[in-house]
Amino acid sequence: VDAHVWTAKVRSVRPAGVARVYDLYEPERTAMVCNGVVVADCNFGIAYRIGPDRFCQYADLYDENGEPRIEYAAQVIEAWFANYESTKPFHAATERSLRDNGWVAQTLTGRRRRLAQERWLNEFKAVSEGIHFQVCGTAQDIIKMAMIHIIEDRDRRAAKAGPAESRLWKKVRILIQVHDELLGEAPAVLRHEV
């Protein structure tokens, strides 16, 4: 699941009689609008188990006396979880898996990260890191596989092509990878095939 597509679904959430909260994706960042204020990265913060205290800091949720609005933050977080019902069961399953597997997190492709030392220092944080590793680590694995497939496809096409076209295919390359996006270059004549 592409996390940006996941957060792109605009949903209205009404926490217990308080102003609406919207989940949205902006081209430059993932954001949440809370009390009419855009709060960058709170969607991912909640997905990775941010608590009401820290949410208040990120969302700048303070009352007129400068006190954090912890209860409201907790309502916002619960409303978010109500919209994304599979998130809490995923968190619980990840925690069970970590406990059952000696605090080793694993991506869908089988890459592993040991979290026993983190667990010794802070168990809650170790679980959060396990959740983050499963999601982001799997995304990293997928983008790596995509890059390998792109280069393999380029090489296969170059091998099947005649000499002139083969030279063109060899100019197809990946320039940079940022998160879940790849930027590449190719000769203009191949733009519809690349």
Side-chain angles (χ1 to χ4, degrees):
V1 172
D2 183 313
H4 292 151
V5 171
W6 177 54
T7 57
K9 296 175 182 173
V10 178
R11 294 188 180 218
S12 170
V13 183
R14 279 189 190 252
V18 184
R20 284 186 175 184
V21 175
Y22 292 97
D23 228 358
L24 60 107
Y25 174 71
E26 294 182 334
E28 275 106 46
R29 65 182 186 271
T30 302
M32 178 179 282
V33 177
C34 187
N35 282 349
V37 176
V38 174
V39 183
D41 298 325
C42 281
N43 284 317
F44 288 109
I46 296 171
Y48 299 131
R49 301 190 341 152
I50 194 171
D53 294 1
R54 177 131 324 154
F55 186 89
C56 286
Q57 292 172 354
Y58 284 108
D60 197 24
L61 289 178
Y62 297 94
D63 64 18
E64 58 278 350
N65 298 323
E67 295 296 318
R69 297 179 59 200
I70 304 292
E71 283 185 32
Y72 176 64
Q75 290 173 348
V76 170
I77 291 169
E78 283 308 309
W80 188 94
F81 280 122
N83 268 339
Y84 300 106
E85 296 170 359
S86 62
T87 307
K88 278 191 175 182
F90 171 69
H91 288 175
T94 299
E95 186 168 357
R96 275 191 310 277
S97 174
L98 286 168
R99 290 179 190 286
D100 293 346
N101 295 310
W103 293 91
V104 176
Q106 186 169 317
T107 66
L108 291 178
T109 62
R111 191 160 51 98
R112 296 174 177 206
R113 178 175 176 198
R114 299 182 194 290
L115 294 165
Q117 189 170 9
E118 287 85 346
R119 185 233 175 203
W120 183 75
L121 296 171
N122 183 330
E123 189 170 304
F124 183 85
K125 187 174 181 184
V127 173
S128 296
E129 288 182 24
I131 292 165
H132 186 267
F133 179 75
Q134 281 189 269
V135 174
C136 292
T138 297
Q140 291 166 354
D141 295 348
I142 291 168
I143 198 76
K144 286 177 194 174
M145 290 186 294
M147 290 189 288
I148 290 167
H149 289 304
I150 289 168
I151 298 306
E152 287 175 346
D153 185 56
R154 176 204 63 191
D155 293 346
R156 197 170 27 259
R157 289 173 184 247
K160 288 182 181 178
E165 189 180 350
S166 179
R167 282 192 297 278
L168 289 174
W169 276 107
K170 289 178 183 176
K171 292 181 180 182
V172 173
R173 61 189 181 137
I174 299 169
L175 298 176
I176 190 169
Q177 176 246 324
V178 179
H179 302 296
D180 60 350
E181 297 179 19
L182 295 173
L183 176 65
E185 77 176 359
V189 296
L190 297 176
R191 74 175 171 262
H192 295 294
E193 294 185 62
V194 172

